[in-house]
């Protein structure tokens, strides 16, 4: 989606930052932040979105970098 591409291109995440993503969805923004931030937590009310985000984290080898 266009807004995710825009956000990732313009997101400034520093190594000491702690990131919280609300309305996690697929988790793509959290995955991007996990490469840079000290910690990342994603929240969503949809069990399907959480499962999809966990799968994407696994697919990208980032299960340990996200909460």
């Amino acid at each position: 989606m266009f807004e995710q591409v825009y956000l990732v291109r313009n997101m400034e995440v520093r190594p000491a930052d702690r990131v919280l993503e609300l309305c996690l969805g697929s988790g793509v923004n959290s995955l991007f932040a996990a490469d840079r931030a000290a910690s990342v937590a994603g929240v969503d009310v949809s069990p399907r979105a959480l499962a999809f985000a966990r799968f994407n984290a696994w697919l990208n080898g980032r299960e340990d970098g996200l909460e």
Side-chain angles (χ1 to χ4, degrees):
M1 302 201 112
F2 175 74
E3 60 271 10
Q4 289 176 324
V5 172
Y6 179 82
L7 180 61
V8 166
R9 286 185 179 167
N10 294 285
M11 190 184 318
E12 292 183 28
V13 181
R14 296 173 298 256
D17 288 347
R18 295 177 1 176
V19 175
L20 171 64
E21 183 178 8
L22 303 175
C23 302
L24 180 65
S26 67
V28 69
N29 298 320
S30 290
L31 286 170
F32 173 80
D35 285 338
R36 291 153 180 79
S39 66
V40 177
V43 179
D44 204 302
V45 296
S46 167
R48 183 175 182 209
L50 292 172
F52 192 38
R54 281 189 199 101
F55 175 73
N56 279 336
W58 173 80
L59 198 60
N60 288 279
R62 297 302 317 219
E63 307 96 322
D64 59 338
L66 302 171
E67 181 180 334

